[in-house]
Amino acid sequence: MALVNIHFLNLQNNYLFADIAKKVNAFKVMHPKAEVISLGIGDVTQPLCPAVTEAMHKAVDEMATAAGFHGYGPEQGYTFLREAILKNDFLPRGVHLDIDEIFINDGAKSDTGNFQELLHWDNFIGVTDPIYPVYIDSNVMIGRCGTYRDGRWTNVRYMPCTAENGFVPELPKGRPVDVIYLCYPNNPTGTVITKQELQKWVTYALKNDALILYDAAYQAYIQDPKIPHSIYEIRGARKCAVEFRSYSKTAGFTGVRCGYTIVPKEVSVSTLTFGRDGSRSEELMQASLFPRSNATFEGERISLNQLWLRRQCTKFNGCSYISQRAAEAIYSPEGKQQVKATIDYYMQNARKMLQTLRSLGYECYGGENAPYVWMRTPDVFQKEIGAMAPTSSWKFFEALLYGANVVCTPGVGFGPSGEGYVRFTAFGSHEQTDEALRRIKDWSRRSNSL
Ligand code: PLP
C-alpha cells in the first residue's frame, strides 16, 4: 500500500493571494465599472532590458546550430555565469568565494525550499515573523515544525519583527535555535539590517553551532552604501551561512527563472551524537538497526557544500543555457546600466508611496532599500473593546478596496506579527502607482475613520 507523507497534510492552506483575488472579484462583480489597481502584487511589471533579450536571442540562435547546441549543462551552472557572479557581485564588496561555492538555480524559491532537506528532521528552526511563507512550509513538509495551534507551529521559534524592535529580531533566548532563516532586505516589511546587527546573528550562530539560511533576493534594491548586500561581508559568516540570490527582482527574471545559492566549503553540520537528547539517541539506535555502509553517526562534521552538490546532481538538471546567458548579460556594462534603470524606476514608486502615505499621517517602514512599503494600519475606536486599537490588516484591506479601489496585501497573511500592517509593492507602472496614490489621498481625506 502506498502511504502518503502525512506531513503534507499538516500544511495550512495559505490562501493569502487566493483570498485577496476572491475578495477583489466579489468587489468587481458588485462594481463592474470600477477599475481596481493592485499595489499588492509581488511580481515585476517592467520588460526585460535590451542587453538581456539580445543575449537570449543570441543563445537561441546558437542552439539552432549543431556547433552551438547545448544539451544538459553542468548541474552547478555554467562557468561563464559563475565567474561573472564572483567578479561582479562579490569581489567589489571584498568577498572572496571559490567558483565551486556557487550553485546556479532556477530561482531562489526552489533552493530556499529545498535546502532544508540536507538537515536532520528534528532541528529547531527560527524564523523572522512576518515571513516569506516558503521557509516554514518547506520545513512542515518534512515534519520539523510540530503541530499548528492558534496560528503558530509549536516547534518553530517565531522572532517578531515589528516597529518596536526596528524590524530586526532579538537573539533567541532559552532553547538555542539550530537553523535560522533571515531575509534582508526583507519581504514583506521592506526593511534592512545593518552590519552590526547581522554580526550579532553570525556570532550567535558560531557560538551555538547554528546554521543561517540568508535570503538576499532583494539585495539589488539597497541604496544605502553602509547596508550589507551579502552575509559574507560579515566576519565569520563563511563558517555558518548559506546565501540565496535571485535575478527575479534584480533583473525582471520572474518568468525567465535563474538565481544562485552560495554554499561556502567551511559550512558544516554535525551528525547525530549520543546523549544530546532522548529523541536523537532513539533515532541513532534505529539507524543502527538499519546500518548504512560507512555511517558513523558520531558527531562528525559534514560539509554542506559537498552534500548540496550531491543533492543537486541527483535532483536538478540545471537552469537552461538561454537563462544563464541572459543572466550573464546583466553584468555587461550596458546590462548593469539598464538593470539599474529599472530598479531606479521601481524605487521612484517606493519613494512616492512613502511620501504620500506619510503625508496622510500613516506610519510607514521600508521602501528606502527595498521595493516594499510596510504600513501600520491606523488606530480606530473598536466598539467591542471600547477603546482605540489598530484596524486589523484585513479590515484595512477591505476599506481601501471599497473606498479607493486599490489593493494592498494584509500583513497578517505573512505571519502573526504582520497583524496591524499592510504591504504595498513598488512593482507597478508609474502611471498606476500615481493613480493609486491619488485615490488613496482622496479616500483618506474623505474618510476620517474606518
Ligand atoms: N525570496 C523572497 C524573500 C521572495 O520574496 C521571493 C519571491 O517573491 C523569492 C525568494 C523567490 O524568488 P524566485 O524564485 O523568483 O527567484
Side-chain angles (χ1 to χ4, degrees):
M1 182 177 22
L3 299 176
V4 70
N5 173 353
I6 52 161
H7 302 307
F8 273 67
L9 310 185
N10 286 334
L11 283 168
Q12 299 301 300
N13 286 319
N14 189 342
Y15 284 132
L16 178 61
F17 289 98
D19 280 351
I20 290 175
K22 222 186 283 170
K23 286 180 194 284
V24 172
N25 284 339
F27 171 80
K28 282 181 176 166
V29 169
M30 283 188 283
H31 306 84
K33 292 212 177 107
E35 276 188 32
V36 175
I37 299 180
S38 177
L39 295 184
I41 41 162
D43 200 354
V44 292
T45 54
Q46 298 305 296
L48 294 170
C49 67
V52 164
T53 51
E54 276 158 30
M56 293 178 89
H57 283 299
K58 196 161 157 245
V60 171
D61 289 343
E62 264 184 75
M63 295 282 274
T65 66
F69 174 73
H70 286 77
Y72 292 126
E75 287 91 348
Q76 231 182 309
Y78 285 102
T79 305
F80 63 78
L81 179 54
R82 292 191 289 150
E83 279 176 350
I85 290 168
L86 287 183
K87 197 165 142 227
N88 294 282
D89 284 348
F90 292 98
L91 276 180
R93 313 201 71 81
V95 176
H96 296 266
L97 297 171
D98 191 284
I99 196 159
D100 293 337
E101 296 176 322
I102 302 178
F103 296 78
I104 306 298
N105 59 32
D106 59 358
K109 189 174 200 172
S110 315
D111 283 8
T112 51
N114 290 331
F115 204 84
Q116 52 72 34
E117 261 183 50
L118 303 190
L119 306 169
H120 192 268
W121 69 269
D122 74 347
N123 278 292
F124 184 39
I125 69 160
V127 297
T128 51
D129 169 30
I131 186 191
Y132 176 57
V134 174
Y135 312 148
I136 291 194
D137 281 0
S138 54
N139 279 282
V140 170
M141 288 173 179
I142 202 163
R144 200 174 276 131
C145 295
T147 48
Y148 192 71
R149 266 188 234 136
D150 303 328
R152 288 160 190 268
W153 291 94
T154 50
N155 204 34
V156 170
R157 172 68 55 80
Y158 289 82
M159 305 184 292
C161 295
T162 58
E164 285 66 34
N165 61 15
F167 299 95
V168 175
E170 279 153 35
L171 294 176
K173 297 195 179 78
R175 179 182 175 190
V177 170
D178 302 309
V179 181
I180 302 154
Y181 285 87
L182 294 178
C183 170
Y184 287 101
N186 187 262
N187 177 18
T189 65
T191 54
V192 287
I193 193 165
T194 62
K195 282 190 181 165
Q196 292 77 359
E197 289 288 350
L198 194 50
Q199 182 71 64
K200 285 188 202 163
W201 282 94
V202 169
T203 306
Y204 174 90
L206 292 172
K207 197 167 147 219
N208 292 282
D209 200 2
L211 174 69
I212 298 178
L213 298 178
Y214 193 75
D215 187 343
Y218 295 93
Q219 59 77 32
Y221 287 81
I222 294 174
Q223 313 284 311
D224 180 343
K226 294 194 291 302
I227 299 297
H229 285 238
S230 166
I231 194 166
Y232 305 118
E233 292 175 48
I234 308 301
R235 207 170 358 101
R238 278 189 60 89
K239 289 203 176 108
C240 62
V242 167
E243 180 167 302
F244 304 96
R245 294 273 186 113
S246 166
Y247 295 109
S248 285
K249 309 297 159 72
T250 304
F253 273 42
T254 50
V256 175
R257 309 308 303 150
C258 192
Y260 63 92
T261 295
I262 306 288
V263 192
K265 290 181 183 159
E266 289 102 305
V267 183
S268 67
V269 288
S270 179
T271 56
L272 291 165
T273 49
F274 271 116
R276 179 169 170 181
D277 65 34
S279 64
R280 289 184 190 218
S281 302
E282 192 185 313
E283 173 98 354
L284 179 58
M285 308 239 315
Q286 290 209 356
S288 60
L289 290 177
F290 304 97
R292 293 183 313 158
S293 60
N294 71 18
T296 59
F297 297 114
E298 279 170 5
E300 79 211 90
R301 304 301 299 188
I302 304 292
S303 156
L304 284 182
N305 178 284
Q306 284 307 299
L307 217 54
W308 185 241
L309 178 63
R310 184 70 181 84
R311 189 265 178 211
Q312 290 296 79
C313 290
T314 301
K315 290 195 174 181
F316 183 59
N317 252 343
C319 168
S320 85
Y321 175 70
I322 298 164
S323 296
Q324 293 191 57
R325 281 293 184 200
E328 182 197 23
I330 74 164
Y331 297 112
S332 68
E334 314 78 59
K336 279 183 188 165
Q337 205 187 356
Q338 292 163 6
V339 162
K340 182 175 176 309
T342 307
I343 290 172
D344 288 348
Y345 179 95
Y346 292 134
M347 289 310 286
Q348 210 173 318
N349 284 341
R351 267 193 300 280
K352 281 190 199 162
M353 282 164 31
L354 275 181
Q355 203 178 17
T356 306
L357 295 170
R358 282 184 178 151
S359 74
L360 296 171
Y362 293 114
E363 205 178 304
C364 294
Y365 302 92
E368 286 167 358
N369 294 289
Y372 297 118
V373 171
W374 189 240
M375 195 191 91
R376 213 201 273 259
T377 57
D379 283 357
V380 289
F381 184 78
Q382 314 267 2
K383 273 191 230 124
E384 309 85 57
I385 55 171
M388 296 290 281
T391 317
S392 79
S393 300
W394 276 111
K395 193 163 175 208
F396 186 86
F397 163 89
E398 296 214 358
L400 190 68
L401 175 62
Y402 282 77
N405 305 165
V406 172
V407 176
C408 61
T409 311
V412 70
F414 297 101
S417 296
E419 181 54 286
Y421 291 88
V422 290
R423 187 190 75 174
F424 291 100
T425 85
F427 287 130
S429 67
H430 281 173
E431 296 72 25
Q432 291 220 312
T433 307
D434 289 348
E435 172 60 13
L437 292 175
R438 191 194 59 72
R439 291 188 197 171
I440 294 175
K441 227 190 237 174
D442 282 356
W443 165 70
S444 175
R445 287 185 178 151
R446 270 197 324 267
S447 54
N448 288 330
S449 74
L450 294 165

